Every structure is written in structure tokens, then in C-alpha cells.
Amino acid sequence: MLVSAWAVNSWAGSQETYLECLTNFEPYAESIWHDAIYSGAPAQAGYWGDGGSSGNGGIRGNSGVALAYATLVLAQPGHPFNSNRLDRIRRALNYNNATHIVGTNKCVNGSSWGWSSASSTDWQTPEWAATMGLACVLAQSNLPGATVSNTMRVIASEADHRAAIPPASGYVSDTKAEENAWQGNVLALAAAWLSTHASGSNWLWAAKRYCVNSYTVADTSNDPLAAWISTVTLYPSFALQNHGFYHPTYEMVAGMSCGDSLLMARLANPAVAGELQPFAEHNVMAVWTNNLNALVQDSGDFAYPAGLDWELHDFEQNSFITWMATHFNDPLARWTDDKLAQCLRYRQIVNGDGRLVGPSGGGFYREAVG
């Protein structure tokens, strides 16, 4: 969920607020950094969080904070902390690369991660890999060649696996919208960043297929991309159900993950992004105008008619709104973007230690997801 990267090109108010949030998050991130010094650990490696091969506080968390640091380096050139930030990024990428199934080391919990790992499987690894890949793209000019090439190897492995699997269909109780969307991340990044690879064209085709099959309804009669659609992930009203109830957060996750794919492609290769764009945009405005825009409250936060099954104000939807504001230029989204950024910054101030979310059932990983 790449609100930090979108915010670099966002509206001035939210851009400044999100940068302030990231800058104030950094001391907390430093407090949960660990050099990898366990038996059999990769050389010159480290991790934020628990370093595990599964769960959101492991590789996913490590990738997420690496991207936050890469965004800080991009947004604050010449900052005195950049040498430390780049060292952390390098070590985090080395950790993730070496402990992936294509590497030779294990995570601190004794397992590998990646699409064929018994511990992490392939459910979310395309998202984890793409996030670390984008961190590498943003910091590439300041990273050792070996770190970059090893990251590319992980991206290629995950993309090859994902490209061979069709998008999933399902909308009653357990939508497949968000899974299709985030699993397209690594395909989009691979197609753009490794565009000269022998599999590049296949990755781009698969990225288009996953994006277009993220927001789908049964009636495709007026859909210009109908020939690409093989799933149903939403009700006819464009409403989304997950975990057994109407779940606006997951509805936003699906859209923003398609936006993440487009952003990754644009930062790595604008020409590839141009080909991907109509697929990433598919039904996004329909979902917004038929459902989500009616849930915006005066605070900028969203109403949840059926409640939520985790932390209420964790602001995981922020990058959806940032994408709606910057890419689609939607007036309500522009207003909401600024309000949500302020909500997040206020919560961080209340926490007092740099955490963006604070106490919640999942612990650190909520910070990394955000």
C-alpha cells in the first residue's frame, strides 16, 4: 500500500503531511531494526520487525519500511540521515533476497519465503516482493550492483510463478478482488523494470489480466475490456463483501493495489505503464461513484455500515484516496486526501513515539502495511 510513494506527486497539503508522518515514523522504525546476526544469517543483512518468513510483521513488514525509507531518500535529497537510510535499505533487501527461495539462507525463524515456501506460500508474496522491488527501483542508483541484481532475480521468480496462474473469481462472502489486485503488483513491476527479459511480454500480459479482473461484475455487455474478463469479484451494485460482510476497506484495497501496479510501472518504465493504464483503471470510477464516495465523513475518514473486524482507524485506505486524487483528479477525493493525511498525522502525534497506527491486534505489521 503505497501512499508514501504516491504522495511524492500528490497535492501539496497531503504531500507535506505524509512526508512529516514518514519523517516522524523514522525513529520508531530505528527502534525495531535488527542486524541479522543469528546462526546462518545472510551477510550484510538486517530487518525491521520480526524477520519471519510468514506473517505481516516479517518479509512484508521489512519490505514496507524499506519502501518508506526509499521514499524519504527520494523526497529529501542531501538529508544527513540518507547514508543510514540507504544502508538500512541495502541490508533489508539483502535479507529478503538471500532468504527467498532463490537464495541460500533462511529467515530468523529457520524458513525461506516465496511462492513455493511451505511457510509463506504464494498468497501474498507477489505483494511483498513488489514492495521491496519498488524500494530497490527508487534507491537503485545508490545501491550495490549485487543487491540490485539479486532483487531482480527475486522479482523474476515471483513473476514467472504468478503469470502461470489465472486470476481467481469469487464475490459472495469472500471476494477475490483484493487478491487479484495485489498479486498483479509483481507482474507490473517485472514487466516494467525488467522489460528486456525474455518473459517481459508475458509478464505484461499477465499484469493486464490481473488488473482488469480485480473489479469485475457479471454484466460485461458495455465493458470495452470484456474480452479480458474471466472473473466476478463484486455484486452488480459494485459493492464488495469480504470476511462475510460489506467491507469498504477491502474494496479500497483492490483499487489502490491496481494503482500501486500502475505507479510501479510508471516509475520503472513509463512506456510499459502506458500499456497497463486502462487495465489498472478498470471499473475504479464505477466503484467510487456507486459505493465508496458515499461513505466519506466530515473528518475525511470513512463510515463502515457493517463495522470492521480489526482496528477501526488504521487508515489503510489512504493510498486509494491519494490515487483517486492524483490520477483521477476527483474533487471529493482531493478534499478527502488532505483530511485523511491530517487524521493519520494526528493519530501519530497521539501515539507519541512515531507509530502511525499504534496499539492494535496485529502489532507492528499494521505500521508496515500502512
Side-chain angles (χ1 to χ4, degrees):
M1 303 179 183
L2 308 181
V3 65
S4 56
W6 272 118
V8 171
N9 294 307
S10 186
W11 302 92
S14 63
Q15 178 185 16
E16 293 168 359
T17 304
Y18 282 128
L19 182 57
E20 185 177 9
C21 287
L22 287 182
T23 303
N24 283 277
F25 172 75
E26 190 171 10
Y28 172 73
E30 287 297 302
S31 75
I32 57 170
W33 171 262
H34 308 277
D35 287 321
I37 55 174
Y38 57 91
S39 177
Q44 294 292 304
Y47 54 88
W48 290 280
D50 61 43
S53 60
S54 62
N56 291 312
I59 298 298
R60 184 180 188 180
N62 201 35
S63 298
V65 183
L67 177 57
Y69 271 47
T71 302
L72 284 170
V73 171
L74 178 68
Q76 298 177 325
H79 195 281
F81 292 175
N82 279 353
S83 59
N84 182 69
R85 292 167 177 169
L86 288 167
D87 184 66
R88 295 282 195 251
I89 296 167
R90 176 180 64 87
R91 289 175 178 270
L93 293 177
N94 287 346
Y95 182 83
N96 285 7
N97 294 335
T99 59
H100 188 263
I101 56 170
V102 299
T104 58
N105 298 85
K106 304 294 185 184
C107 295
V108 67
N109 65 336
S111 298
S112 300
W113 73 278
W115 60 265
S116 69
S117 169
S119 61
S120 56
T121 68
D122 69 350
W123 181 50
Q124 288 187 349
T125 57
E127 181 187 28
W128 305 352
T131 302
M132 66 174 254
L134 181 56
C136 188
V137 168
L138 296 182
Q140 183 170 346
S141 63
N142 293 299
L143 294 173
T147 299
V148 175
S149 62
N150 287 336
T151 304
M152 289 178 169
R153 183 174 62 162
V154 171
I155 298 302
S157 174
E158 291 285 333
D160 274 341
H161 172 72
R162 181 50 48 184
I165 302 172
S169 187
Y171 70 98
V172 177
S173 182
D174 179 21
T175 184
K176 299 305 177 186
E178 91 288 357
E179 293 174 32
N180 288 343
W182 75 45
Q183 287 170 348
N185 288 168
V186 78
L187 293 164
L189 181 65
W193 193 26
L194 311 177
S195 59
T196 60
H197 192 283
S199 298
S201 60
N202 187 48
W203 293 336
L204 180 55
W205 173 81
K208 293 176 180 178
R209 185 168 65 152
Y210 269 93
C211 282
V212 78
N213 280 287
S214 296
Y215 279 151
T216 57
V217 292
D219 182 4
T220 62
S221 56
N222 296 313
D223 193 326
L225 297 175
W228 286 81
I229 296 172
S230 59
T231 69
V232 178
T233 64
L234 303 173
Y235 283 85
S237 63
F238 291 94
L240 178 146
Q241 190 178 39
N242 207 31
H243 298 183
F245 62 94
Y246 177 59
H247 212 310
T249 294
Y250 273 102
E251 186 141 32
M252 287 183 270
V253 168
M256 70 188 182
S257 292
C258 288
D260 293 346
S261 289
L262 181 59
L263 176 63
M264 291 173 186
R266 184 175 294 167
L267 290 169
N269 189 323
V272 170
E275 290 193 52
L276 183 64
Q277 182 168 325
F279 299 86
E281 294 172 337
H282 182 252
N283 279 341
V284 174
M285 285 302 298
V287 166
W288 174 244
T289 58
N290 283 281
N291 275 272
L292 294 177
N293 68 357
L295 303 178
V296 178
Q297 302 179 96
D298 288 346
S299 65
D301 203 355
F302 282 74
Y304 297 96
L308 276 179
D309 49 355
W310 57 65
E311 189 78 1
L312 180 57
H313 300 294
D314 61 357
F315 303 113
E316 289 185 276
Q317 73 272 23
N318 287 34
S319 57
F320 174 83
I321 291 300
T322 303
W323 186 42
M324 296 300 301
T326 58
H327 183 74
F328 293 95
N329 196 29
D330 181 84
L332 178 59
R334 293 201 306 269
W335 178 88
T336 307
D337 180 45
D338 182 59
K339 294 291 186 181
L340 271 179
Q342 293 179 52
C343 286
L344 182 63
R345 177 63 184 129
Y346 180 74
R347 179 157 188 183
Q348 186 181 48
I349 291 170
V350 169
N351 290 331
D353 60 0
R355 289 177 297 168
L356 299 170
V357 178
S360 60
F364 155 72
Y365 85 82
R366 284 277 168 231
E367 309 295 334
V369 168

